[in-house]
Amino acid sequence: MSELLYLEDVFVGQRFVTGTHMLTSEAIKAFARDFDPQPFHTDEEAAKDTFFYGLAASGWHTAAITMPLQIDSAPPIAGGIIEVSGEL
């Protein structure tokens, strides 16, 4: 699909497929040490006793990986993929 998509072109339930990205345990731990140093991201042994029952990538990490996948291989969104507000 090479035509630009606008909001009115997209419907609820529509799916788009992007490329893939291989994520290693070492990459998960390296990112976490710098940006999200919680034990379930940095320590495989400690992560076993958490909600995840094992090492889990940070949501910040997966979001950072997702962005280039969307830009490089998802349908072209007119004006780009932006968010003008948000709350934490």
Side-chain angles (χ1 to χ4, degrees):
M1 177 180 284
S2 61
E3 267 187 56
L4 291 179
L5 291 178
Y6 293 85
L7 186 57
E8 59 268 18
D9 300 322
V10 180
F11 57 86
V12 173
Q14 188 172 13
R15 293 177 179 243
F16 301 101
V17 178
T18 68
T20 61
H21 179 89
M22 178 64 70
L23 191 54
T24 66
S25 61
E26 289 310 311
I28 290 170
K29 291 184 263 185
F31 182 94
R33 282 190 297 269
D34 288 341
F35 303 108
D36 193 354
Q38 300 183 75
F40 42 84
H41 300 321
T42 60
D43 183 327
E44 292 180 60
E45 201 54 40
K48 290 179 182 177
D49 295 326
T50 68
F51 171 84
F52 300 106
Y53 301 107
L55 191 67
S58 167
W60 300 107
H61 193 179
T62 58
I65 290 167
T66 299
M67 196 67 204
L69 291 174
Q70 290 178 339
I71 300 304
D72 294 342
S73 59
I77 305 297
I81 299 171
I82 61 170
E83 181 179 341
V84 293
S85 71
E87 295 181 32
L88 289 177

